[in-house]
Amino acid sequence: MLQGLHQAVLGLFGAGWVVPVVVALAGGGILIWPRPTALRRSTLAVGLISAAALLGIADLAEQGAGGLVGQMVAVPLAAALGPAGALLVLVLVLLGGLVVALRFSLG
């Protein structure tokens, strides 16, 4: 059973397997925190988009490193914009997503 889970995680996330692990640990921390802040759907969605962008960057760096999720993000962008353009878009999405998800103010 654990071997199947291991293969599924590696297939979906590749070398970026640490992303779902960190997300699961953070989710568990929020659940057991005495007075957690309200988790908005928009914050959750932006966080997931940022994670997908991170996996796409990993896939652009090395083919297959982002797993299936990274390929689904990086391949269409690289086909449309080229590798450099795809990297630029994914880095901007990642940074913008982190600003929104962490409620960071630029001003």
Side-chain angles (χ1 to χ4, degrees):
M1 182 173 136
L2 287 179
Q3 188 67 9
L5 178 64
H6 180 258
Q7 292 301 323
V9 169
L10 282 181
L12 282 173
F13 303 104
W17 62 267
V18 72
V19 172
V21 171
V22 169
V23 169
L25 288 173
I30 288 172
L31 290 175
I32 64 170
W33 201 260
R35 284 185 285 270
T37 60
L39 184 61
R40 297 180 295 189
R41 289 182 186 161
S42 61
T43 305
L44 183 60
V46 169
L48 292 175
I49 290 169
S50 296
L54 182 64
L55 292 170
I57 292 169
D59 197 71
L60 283 173
E62 184 178 338
Q63 184 72 26
L68 182 62
V69 175
Q71 287 177 352
M72 288 175 23
V73 171
V75 171
L77 274 176
L81 305 173
L87 181 63
L88 178 65
V89 168
L90 289 173
V91 167
L92 290 175
V93 167
L94 177 63
L95 291 176
L98 289 175
V99 167
V100 172
L102 298 176
R103 299 178 191 158
F104 182 74
S105 175
L106 296 175

